[in-house]
Amino acid sequence: MTQEATRPTAPEPAGGRDGGPRRTGRRAAAEYNAASIQVLEGLEAVRRRPGMYIGSTDGRGLHHLVWEVVDNSIDEAMAGYATRIDVRIEQDGTVFVSDDGRGVPVGRHPTGKDALEVVHTVLHAGGKFGGGGYKVSGGLHGVGVSVVNALSEWLRVESARDGAVWAQEYVRGKPTTPVVRVGPSGDRRGTTTMFRADSQMFETTDYSFDTISQRLRESAYLNKGLWIKLADLRIDRERSFYFEGGLVSFVRHLNRNKEVLNSRPIYVERREGGTSIEVALQYNDTYADNVFAFANNINTVDGGTHLTGFRTALTRSLNDYARRAGLLKESDANLSGDDVREGLTAVISVKLEEPQFEGQTKAKLGNAEVSGQVAAAVAEGISQYLDENPADGRRIIEKSLTAARAREAARKARDLVIRKGALEGMSLPGKLADCQERDPARSELFIVEGDSAGGSAKQGRDRRFQAILPLRGKLLNVEKARLDKILSSENIRPLVIALGAGIGDSLDLAKLRYQRIIIMTDADVDGAHIRTLLLTFFYRHMPQVIESGFLYIAQPPLYRISTGKVTRYAQSEAERDRIIKQINVKNITVQRFKGLGEMNAEQLWETTMNPETRTLLRAEVEDAVEADGIFTTLMGERVEPRKEFIKTEARKVRNLDV
């Protein structure tokens, strides 16, 4: 889970941002004429609106450049032509990506340019449209490498094919050399791309070794037998990934810190027409499900027909087996999808010739025929495994039956929460100090620890749009609890009622009462613990709140530096020392804040709650696999992985607050 620094502003008043009237439609229309129509040539559109092509120009967009180039090499591997990919980051931030595939075609193109130049300078140009160059591919829009070229200060491509190595260089998307033969290829084949991201276009050009490493590991799992090597010369780190087990290895990795019910993952591999289907699944003793779906190596985070087919087959197969084995009586109701998915870890990967994705982000697969293909393959595979491993089958069904009983208890608890809330003051708990604003987009909820901090926050807030909910006592660790226990918690239930959107599968973001939910805890060990418990709750039971960008973490200062006339605040020791040096007086008073309750209302408003001066961190899930692993390690039942994590990370600690 990552967080980005943001400075949200107060709700904008009616009219213009300065409070004055907006321009009239007549005046705006008068300025819109034929001369207003612009035509952007070549890759100029990418440089003018980079967010349209890579999502953003922050760290996420920067790494997207790497994914675009690597995915081209992955496509060569999926087509059966590449067996190795090398990624290297140079000291100056230049990225090298090399594969042993077929190489980019060279030679005169009907446009009059060389084919190599067309691929790198023309949007929607590539060999992935007609099926001739690639039967299976992730990059179907033909904008990948040309976008990387447009957003790079410098790029060079070398293509080794037909007995020669051909090369061309570009500066900010424009060729600086023709396509030239630089020598014989010898034993070398494939494509090498080297580029340096344009600092004029990106907020940062600092790549994360861990982020790239996670993505490459995932790609190696999805393409068994493919060797991927990553080297970072900036920090002298290197990793190689190669998995003969493919998805089975992936599932074992995801469950590495969990107690599993079936020691050998259930594995399904089948080809249906032009569709290749590969599925691996394994149950553990936790309460959450962890399912990842991929289409042509693309993580379809919003699911799609392949996920639908998997879920249908899983529910049907387990119910059929439970009745065949006598674990479900004739009078018993069937297990639901929620019941059979508790504790499930699964990876679904389909590779198809003509995938239909929803939008450029490719977050959801839409091919209707895939649902039935996946369902048939998974149903057969699960049934065969359970018949051959009845002890595993019994453990899985018993866990599902326990989940069914807990689900019924949770339904009653949820109904009680809703019913109780409806009867007690418009669903609002007594400790909530609500705001006057009724538009969720303009409303903020501060979740604070303890009555002392809650009192300061209530006095210091702007009651027009800021609500305060104090939490008292130890917060429940939801990683170790089912939903029925969560909803009976004296701390969690008021929070669910205050937010108003429900929980789990019944969550409805349209009913969310605040679109800025801010966790505000003390800057000490206890505060960090409470913050982690709240993040775990939102990640496991309200993930849509995080995905929508509604969850934030307040950044109260650690130090108050005062000379009597001048008062400044610092959020770190380094900032404290810098401020002291700037003030340059010997009679300075430095106060270390241990808790929010130590600040008076005015100080808390000015430093932490005022939209004009505060800094908030927005919680985001950048890598779902890594996030799940971190929450399992830190908050799960097993102690040993947590000890190992602490030992490994201890050397990074600079200031330990005990």
Side-chain angles (χ1 to χ4, degrees):
M1 175 168 289
T2 61
Q3 296 126 359
E4 295 181 354
T6 60
R7 287 187 183 271
T9 57
E12 185 178 333
R17 185 168 289 276
D18 59 358
R22 292 190 173 96
R23 290 190 303 173
T24 64
R26 182 177 300 174
R27 181 180 172 188
E31 297 173 357
Y32 183 60
N33 51 39
S36 304
I37 306 301
Q38 293 182 323
V39 178
L40 302 178
E41 299 292 339
L43 298 178
E44 187 182 350
V46 181
R47 293 185 63 81
R48 187 74 66 88
R49 296 286 187 270
M52 292 176 60
Y53 298 89
I54 61 170
S56 65
T57 55
D58 56 11
R60 180 176 297 179
L62 176 73
H63 287 83
H64 193 90
L65 301 187
V66 182
W67 312 152
E68 289 286 5
V69 181
V70 168
D71 285 350
N72 283 343
S73 296
I74 295 289
D75 288 342
E76 282 289 291
M78 285 196 293
Y81 297 104
T83 60
R84 182 183 180 101
I85 300 171
D86 286 273
V87 180
R88 186 170 80 249
I89 307 172
E90 295 286 312
Q91 293 277 6
D92 64 353
T94 299
V95 176
F96 284 71
V97 179
S98 181
D99 64 58
D100 61 352
R102 292 170 290 181
V104 180
V106 294
R108 188 173 178 82
H109 187 266
T111 60
K113 299 179 181 179
D114 191 283
L116 185 74
E117 181 176 327
V118 171
V119 167
H120 287 80
T121 59
V122 179
L123 294 176
H124 307 291
K128 303 172 184 177
F129 298 109
Y134 296 85
K135 286 187 179 294
V136 174
S137 165
L140 300 175
H141 298 79
V143 301
V145 75
S146 55
V147 167
V148 176
N149 194 12
L151 299 176
S152 293
E153 173 187 324
W154 169 84
L155 183 144
R156 176 183 173 88
V157 59
E158 296 178 357
S159 177
R161 57 179 289 141
D162 304 326
V165 179
W166 307 85
Q168 188 172 31
E169 292 190 10
Y170 314 84
V171 170
R172 296 188 169 93
K174 296 179 179 179
T176 57
T177 67
V179 177
V180 295
R181 184 181 187 275
V182 295
S185 61
D187 294 333
R188 177 184 172 187
R189 65 188 180 96
T191 305
T192 299
T193 303
M194 51 203 87
F195 66 92
R196 189 161 55 246
D198 192 349
S199 58
Q200 295 178 7
M201 304 302 299
F202 291 93
E203 299 169 17
T204 177
T205 55
D206 185 22
Y207 295 97
S208 165
F209 178 86
D210 290 333
T211 298
I212 296 175
S213 179
Q214 287 290 338
R215 175 67 174 254
L216 297 183
R217 176 191 286 112
E218 192 175 275
S219 297
Y221 280 129
L222 294 168
N223 297 274
K224 57 184 177 183
L226 174 64
W227 184 283
I228 305 179
K229 179 181 177 182
L230 170 63
D232 191 337
L233 303 186
R234 302 169 307 168
I235 55 176
D236 194 26
R237 290 183 71 184
E238 187 176 290
R239 282 185 185 169
S240 294
F241 306 104
Y242 177 87
F243 304 106
E244 281 289 352
L247 297 195
V248 171
S249 300
F250 198 172
V251 166
R252 290 188 190 278
H253 172 74
L254 293 170
N255 276 339
R256 65 194 182 279
N257 291 327
K258 302 169 185 174
E259 295 292 339
V260 297
L261 302 188
N262 52 312
S263 58
R264 181 167 60 91
I266 302 173
Y267 179 67
V268 177
E269 186 174 19
R270 179 189 283 190
R271 188 165 190 87
E272 290 281 347
T275 304
S276 170
I277 301 162
E278 195 178 359
V279 177
L281 62 138
Q282 186 180 40
Y283 280 87
N284 58 61
D285 64 348
T286 69
Y287 306 121
D289 68 301
N290 204 16
V291 180
F292 298 94
F294 298 84
N296 289 7
N297 273 26
I298 296 166
N299 187 357
T300 46
V301 293
D302 292 336
T305 51
H306 52 335
L307 181 59
T308 300
F310 169 79
R311 286 180 168 176
T312 299
L314 179 73
T315 306
R316 186 174 64 237
S317 299
L318 290 183
N319 274 299
D320 289 347
Y321 175 78
R323 294 199 182 278
R324 285 201 315 273
L327 300 173
L328 270 182
K329 298 183 179 63
E330 188 175 332
S331 59
D332 292 336
N334 272 348
L335 297 167
S336 73
D338 289 337
D339 300 332
V340 301
R341 289 195 297 271
E342 184 178 285
L344 171 69
T345 296
V347 181
I348 305 133
S349 176
V350 296
K351 295 173 182 174
L352 55 165
E353 296 177 3
E354 294 292 338
Q356 299 167 15
F357 293 106
E358 293 188 6
Q360 168 67 16
T361 56
K362 308 171 190 171
K364 190 173 185 179
L365 183 68
N367 297 64
E369 73 281 3
V370 172
S371 179
Q373 293 171 338
V374 171
V378 171
E380 181 181 331
I382 290 178
S383 296
Q384 180 178 340
Y385 179 92
L386 295 179
D387 287 339
E388 295 173 354
N389 301 272
D392 287 352
R394 177 174 289 276
R395 280 193 292 271
I396 292 170
I397 297 301
E398 285 175 350
K399 180 172 179 60
S400 298
L401 287 169
T402 302
R405 291 189 287 270
R407 176 174 55 84
E408 179 61 21
R411 183 190 63 78
K412 293 178 180 177
R414 189 162 47 226
D415 289 347
L416 179 63
V417 167
I418 294 171
R419 188 165 60 250
K420 185 178 180 182
L423 294 173
E424 294 182 5
M426 296 297 291
S427 301
L428 302 181
K431 283 190 171 293
L432 174 70
D434 203 12
C435 58
Q436 298 167 355
E437 179 63 61
R438 288 296 172 260
D439 181 358
R442 295 169 175 261
S443 303
E444 301 180 347
L445 174 66
F446 284 85
I447 305 171
V448 300
E449 55 169 313
D451 291 337
S452 176
S456 294
K458 288 177 182 178
Q459 294 176 39
R461 67 175 175 143
D462 186 331
R463 64 180 62 244
R464 291 177 303 167
F465 64 95
Q466 292 179 326
I468 309 296
L469 179 64
L471 300 179
R472 188 172 61 182
K474 185 179 179 182
L475 201 69
L476 178 69
N477 179 4
V478 301
E479 191 75 8
K480 301 179 181 180
R482 283 193 173 95
L483 190 57
D484 55 327
K485 184 177 179 182
I486 292 169
L487 286 171
S488 64
S489 165
E490 291 300 321
N491 267 321
I492 298 295
R493 189 172 65 250
L495 177 58
V496 174
I497 294 174
L499 294 174
I503 186 173
D505 292 335
S506 67
L507 185 87
D508 183 0
L509 279 186
K511 297 179 180 178
L512 191 67
R513 301 183 65 249
Y514 313 92
Q515 288 188 7
R516 193 170 288 130
I517 302 163
I518 304 167
I519 299 172
M520 188 164 68
T521 59
D522 290 346
D524 57 12
V525 172
D526 289 338
H529 187 210
I530 293 171
R531 183 166 62 247
T532 304
L533 289 166
L534 283 167
L535 287 172
T536 306
F537 166 72
F538 281 104
Y539 178 73
R540 291 301 189 197
H541 295 282
M542 292 188 174
Q544 300 94 321
V545 169
I546 300 175
E547 292 162 8
S548 301
F550 296 158
L551 185 63
Y552 295 83
I553 299 171
Q555 293 294 284
L558 289 179
Y559 297 97
R560 177 177 181 267
I561 303 104
S562 176
T563 65
K565 295 181 179 179
V566 177
T567 299
R568 301 273 297 277
Y569 296 91
Q571 293 186 346
S572 66
E573 286 191 357
E575 187 179 5
R576 176 201 63 188
D577 295 341
R578 190 166 57 251
I579 291 173
I580 291 174
K581 190 174 182 181
Q582 288 173 352
I583 295 177
N584 196 25
V585 177
K586 291 303 179 187
N587 60 330
I588 292 181
T589 302
V590 179
Q591 179 184 0
R592 168 68 156 90
F593 293 117
K594 292 286 287 184
L596 298 173
E598 294 182 14
M599 297 186 194
N600 60 42
E602 184 178 345
Q603 289 174 334
L604 189 58
W605 162 256
E606 187 60 32
T607 62
T608 315
M609 301 179 70
N610 183 355
E612 299 299 324
T613 57
R614 74 189 181 193
T615 296
L616 298 180
L617 298 182
R618 185 171 59 210
E620 294 186 345
V621 178
E622 197 167 78
D623 187 315
V625 174
E626 179 70 6
D628 178 77
I630 287 292
F631 277 112
T632 299
T633 299
L634 295 181
M635 312 303 291
E637 294 280 2
R638 297 184 64 190
V639 175
E640 199 56 40
R642 196 151 44 247
K643 282 185 177 178
E644 288 302 314
F645 178 86
I646 293 170
K647 289 178 184 177
T648 303
E649 300 296 319
R651 66 176 68 98
K652 301 177 184 177
V653 176
R654 293 292 175 266
N655 298 288
L656 185 62
D657 186 358
V658 292

